Amino acid sequence: MTAHILTPEELALLTLVQNELVPAYGDLPAAGTLGATLTVDAYLAEQPRLRRPLLTALRAIEVRSGKTPFAELDAGRRVEVLRQVENADPESFSELVKQTYNAYYTRPDVQASLGIDGPPQPMGFRLPAFDESRLARVRAMEKLWRDA
Amino acid sequence: MAAPELDSDVLIVGSGASGAAAAWSLSRRGLRVTCLEQGRWVDPSDYAHSRPDYELARQTSFAKDPNVRSWAEDYPINNSGTPIHPLMVNAVGGSTVHWSGHFPRMRPSDFRVKTLDGVADDWPFTYWDLEPYYDLNDSMVGVSGLAGDPGNPPRSPRQTPPLAFDAGCEAYLRGLEKLGWHWWPCDNALISEPFGENRSPCNCCGPCDIGCPIGAMSSAHVTYWPKALAQGVQLITHARVEQITVDRAGRATGALYYDDQGVRRSHTAGVVVMAANGVGTPRLLLNSTSARFPNGLANNSGVVGAYLMFHPVAFVSGVFEEVVNGQRGPIGGLMNCQEFYETDLARGFVRGFELQLSRSVGPLSVANGGILGHPVPWGSEHHEALRSRYAHTMTTSVMLEDLPEPENRVTLDPELTDAHGIPAPRVEYRAGENTQRMLEFSIARARELFEAAGAVEILVDPLVQESGWHLMGTCRMGDDPERSVINGWGQAHECPNLFVIDGSTFTTSAAVNPTSTIQAVALRCADWLGRNYRAVAA
Ligand SMILES: Cc1cc2nc3c(=O)[nH]c(=O)nc-3n(C[C@H](O)[C@H](O)[C@H](O)COP(=O)(O)OP(=O)(O)OC[C@H]3O[C@@H](n4cnc5c(N)ncnc54)[C@H](O)[C@@H]3O)c2cc1C
Ligand code: SF4
């Protein structure tokens, strides 16, 4: 079994939160369900400096949820809680959002949904050649530089 | 050529844009040249371009801010006194290892701002004195572009043709043609067709800012270094210089440095050449105190570290309804608009700026704020918002001339040190009043351009924090030893066998990216030093 940085409870909460941050789209499930939670857990293992803001944001979400756990709130209330945490501690919350985006948009299936069929190399892109005739007006301009 | 007991004829500190060019030039004359570089060779496997998570490299291993990247070879910088953070790479090839390769030249008026506009100081030479070295440098590194720009003096044919003209260029062109403004495909330090050895032409993959894995980008480790090494230059990596040593007469004798095992060593040379960039060079000179130079080497004038210039940058992005695919093609170099480059006092400021019409980034970087730091909202609007920006955005950098002011400076931090205990630099900077007025005016022009081009949304970052790419002026050139550190050949006024050749030499900043000028200046200084070595080292 792989050791996680986050506890099972924290992982479960993070999945729900990520599903609100980046909801399902077309055939793509929401970010947490798609696997962004475990990717973020791996980031926390590699970059310990991320642990504090992320854990702070998760704690704040639990606290703001009140007596009813976040998992049992309806969708509207979940978003309300997240907005409250975002306003109260924008720094930690924005790190949570950033790491969720990091985990989500580095997935080939998500990239494919945006029409990306692979990383930039080795294929690169073929772009049309430069067309010098487009410079006709500018070529006719007077010299724009001062000699000195 | 030097006394046999010396380790080298010339010791160069730093292997970046300027150090590499000088090492090549000096070794061509048969001088024994050693370069001490704190970084390492970037390993081809370090590049992330073939991985789906390549965009993460911008936040981690290839982050441009050394404080964020935190390689073992980096040194910390105290940025608390500046809204603009200095950016750099500490590796063989220096900050050209991951950069944008935008390669414009300064204009003749840029060297004569005191004479023409009554501000700052003139450089100790003219554009025309430097022109042969611009040409030499271009022929060494390989530039893509097109001669014939009415915005600049005529120039030699470019080594390879301009890069592609795609949908993003069409979008910009709509605006430029409507407004009747100047534009030209910009010179780029990257090759669009075969040029040089072991290099492939650019295949328009996109993220040059995290390095170029195929050698298309004309970075110093693929241009000058292979040639310099073939000419016998000794390049010692993982060698962090602590200070430049001097004798009783106040002449430079070499350097003390820490090797890759952390052992403190000394290297002696007839001449020392500083090429550690606009932050690293003043840092080392200030740390090199002696009875003769209690305020730091060559700093009895107090000018070392002062007059720091960045190019304060605003980013303006235009979001278009049509697909412009700004993530394809080299991120930086597309077109330049120099309509507002020369002084027109009716605008409310002196000197001018250029609009650097550039491209954009992939989906992750767009989600996290694109080039501008405006993250895409989370929640139910997320996907539509992301899809409206990704592949639909082009970004213009507003790059303006920063005037030199003595209060903007690099000093030594009293507490912060690097891993070897060497004092770290502290940077203090604020944008002057002329700059503020120019920023406001130039952002309005960039907006006007995007409006004319039909952008449906315009996003602005009025002063980009992560824009300290260009580190200039901290050991400035000049004829007056009270107001400058070095003369027009890079020779220190106070220490005749000490030379400075990197970005810190700039007397004024112009409003274009500096590296073609940094390398041309380095070649000119090295040429003079090579011809006069005996007299200088004697
Ligand atoms: C992200 C980014 C994008 C850029 N884009 C462009 C662009 O499009 N166009 C352009 O013109 N410019 C651009 N630049 C700037 C360009 O890279 C620099 O202007 C240029 O590299 C500066 O050359 P230099 O020789 O002054 O210093 P550098 O190239 O920075 O080299 C300095 C070297 O000195 C070494 N050094 C420092 N201190 C020590 C020490 N104590 N001991 C040993 N070695 C030391 C460093 O490790 C480094 O290798 C960009 C920079 C960055 C970071
Ligand atoms: S766009 Fe061209 S120059 Fe830039 S990284 Fe890709 S291949 Fe290299």
Side-chain angles (χ1 to χ4, degrees), chain A residues 42-142:
Chain A
Y43 296 155
L44 297 182
E46 286 161 21
Q47 302 172 63
R49 68 172 179 87
L50 296 176
R51 291 179 195 170
R52 215 169 94 161
L54 261 71
L55 288 172
T56 305
L58 288 178
R59 291 278 125 72
I61 291 165
E62 275 174 341
V63 171
R64 292 271 173 179
S65 301
K67 288 198 185 110
T68 317
F70 189 80
E72 290 169 29
L73 300 177
D74 63 34
R77 179 72 191 124
R78 282 185 191 176
V79 171
E80 221 172 274
V81 166
L82 295 180
R83 293 260 174 248
Q84 284 170 359
V85 174
E86 182 174 36
N87 291 335
D89 183 358
E91 219 167 289
S92 303
F93 191 82
S94 66
E95 195 62 57
L96 175 63
V97 174
K98 184 175 173 182
Q99 297 311 326
T100 300
Y101 290 172
N102 283 353
Y104 184 75
Y105 285 105
T106 48
R107 292 180 61 94
D109 48 2
V110 172
Q111 293 174 354
S113 79
L114 290 161
I116 298 168
D117 54 12
Q121 290 288 358
M123 298 309 288
F125 299 100
R126 273 188 82 83
L127 302 186
F130 185 78
D131 173 4
E132 281 196 41
S133 71
R134 311 303 294 273
L135 283 164
R137 177 187 62 79
V138 182
R139 273 193 199 281
M141 282 177 113
E142 275 182 24

Side-chain angles (χ1 to χ4, degrees), chain A residues 20-23 25 43 47 82-83 86 93 98 101-102 104-106 111 113-114 116 119-125 127-130 132 134-135 137-139 141 143-148, chain B residues 49-50 52 54 56 59 107 117 128 146 150 152-153 163-166 170 173 176-177 180-184 203-205 328 342 351 364 367-368 376-379 382-384 386-387 390:
Chain A
E20 296 302 331
L21 297 178
V22 183
Y25 187 80
Y43 296 155
Q47 302 172 63
L82 295 180
R83 293 260 174 248
E86 182 174 36
F93 191 82
K98 184 175 173 182
Y101 290 172
N102 283 353
Y104 184 75
Y105 285 105
T106 48
Q111 293 174 354
S113 79
L114 290 161
I116 298 168
Q121 290 288 358
M123 298 309 288
F125 299 100
L127 302 186
F130 185 78
E132 281 196 41
R134 311 303 294 273
L135 283 164
R137 177 187 62 79
V138 182
R139 273 193 199 281
M141 282 177 113
K143 142 179 181 289
L144 286 167
W145 52 279
R146 284 187 288 177
D147 203 354
Chain B
H49 303 59
S50 302
Y54 73 96
L56 278 183
Q59 298 170 36
R107 286 184 179 191
D117 295 323
W128 305 107
L146 189 68
N152 280 274
L163 285 150
F165 198 90
D166 55 2
E170 294 289 358
L173 208 58
L176 290 161
E177 292 300 303
W181 289 355
H182 164 268
W183 70 275
W184 200 258
N203 67 7
C204 295
C205 80
R328 301 181 180 179
E342 300 284 349
R351 308 297 300 153
L364 170 59
N368 279 326
V376 170
W378 57 268
H382 177 79
H383 294 288
E384 292 312 323
L386 187 284
R387 279 162 174 75
Y390 166 66

Side-chain angles (χ1 to χ4, degrees), chain A residues 2-51:
Chain A
T2 325
H4 293 299
I5 299 297
L6 298 175
T7 64
E9 294 74 26
E10 287 163 343
L11 285 169
L13 175 60
L14 180 58
T15 301
L16 294 174
V17 169
Q18 289 184 319
N19 285 349
E20 296 302 331
L21 297 178
V22 183
Y25 187 80
D27 292 340
L28 280 176
T33 307
L34 195 58
T37 313
L38 292 182
T39 311
V40 168
D41 189 69
Y43 296 155
L44 297 182
E46 286 161 21
Q47 302 172 63
R49 68 172 179 87
L50 296 176
R51 291 179 195 170

Side-chain angles (χ1 to χ4, degrees), chain B residues 123-138:
Chain B
W123 287 56
F125 50 79
T126 67
Y127 172 87
W128 305 107
D129 295 325
L130 198 58
E131 193 193 29
Y133 297 96
Y134 273 129
D135 282 343
L136 172 62
N137 190 49
D138 290 350

